[in-house]
Amino acid sequence: MFKSLFLIPIFIFLLQCENDSVSEDCSAVTCYVETLHLQLIDQNSNENLLENDTYIQDDIVITDNNSNTIPFSIVSSSFGEAIQILLTSTRTELLNYTFTIKNKTTFNSTISIEKTGEGNFCCGIQKEVTSITVTGIENEINLSKKTIMVFLE
């Protein structure tokens, strides 16, 4: 009887333990997400075509290699209004996107994401954009700011 009374509290104590790696609470963690910004610039006037409302969000479609639509937003930043894409990659990879503006202008981009660290349970891997290329349209790329300017007629 004494052994049973002794083991019951130990058993109850062990039942209260949980595996932290499975149930880690990430609700209070803010994770850094790599972003890419794309500006649409008039090649004659150098005017930002998002700021002057020549193009609005509904005029723009971004898809990946599998024809999945890529979500984006139009944001104001220190360099003017731009399309912002969140790069939520979870491994080293190449992201290939096709941009279509008002069903008439189409161009492609390849964004190289490199895994730079293991990260943590809540935020995933640490990563860095290591290269950006754009084909099919006149453009300028600023890799350090992860910004692309494309020049439209």
Side-chain angles (χ1 to χ4, degrees):
M1 177 79 170
F2 176 71
K3 287 182 183 178
S4 297
L5 291 175
F6 177 73
L7 292 176
I8 290 174
I10 291 175
F11 182 69
I12 291 172
F13 176 75
L14 291 175
L15 285 176
Q16 304 231 345
C17 294
E18 61 180 271
N19 186 347
D20 289 340
S21 66
V22 174
S23 62
E24 194 164 333
D25 179 17
C26 298
S27 62
V29 176
T30 301
C31 299
Y32 172 77
V33 177
E34 289 281 354
T35 58
L36 176 74
H37 291 96
L38 177 87
Q39 292 181 292
L40 305 179
I41 305 296
D42 183 289
Q43 73 179 27
N44 296 319
S45 68
N46 261 1
E47 201 172 350
N48 184 319
L49 298 172
L50 295 169
E51 286 179 355
N52 71 10
D53 292 327
T54 299
Y55 298 113
I56 59 172
Q57 189 155 352
D58 291 342
D59 296 332
I60 303 161
V61 176
I62 306 170
T63 55
D64 66 11
N65 279 349
N66 298 319
S67 299
N68 297 315
T69 301
I70 303 301
F72 68 93
S73 55
I74 296 180
V75 297
S76 293
S77 65
S78 60
F79 47 82
E81 284 195 13
I83 297 166
Q84 177 178 287
I85 303 168
L86 301 179
L87 304 173
T88 57
S89 176
T90 58
R91 63 189 187 282
T92 295
E93 67 180 318
L94 291 176
L95 302 173
N96 294 296
Y97 294 147
T98 299
F99 295 82
T100 304
I101 313 296
K102 270 224 168 158
N103 290 322
K104 63 179 184 177
T105 302
T106 300
F107 57 94
N108 299 302
S109 72
T110 301
I111 302 138
S112 178
I113 306 276
E114 174 112 7
K115 180 179 174 181
T116 59
E118 290 305 314
N120 60 44
F121 179 82
C122 292
C123 295
I125 67 164
Q126 296 170 347
K127 58 190 171 261
E128 179 180 326
V129 175
T130 55
S131 71
I132 302 169
T133 57
V134 176
T135 57
I137 198 163
E138 184 181 344
N139 66 84
E140 288 180 17
I141 297 170
N142 183 325
L143 184 58
S144 66
K145 292 185 179 182
K146 296 172 209 70
T147 303
I148 304 169
M149 290 173 48
V150 296
F151 299 95
L152 303 168
E153 293 181 9

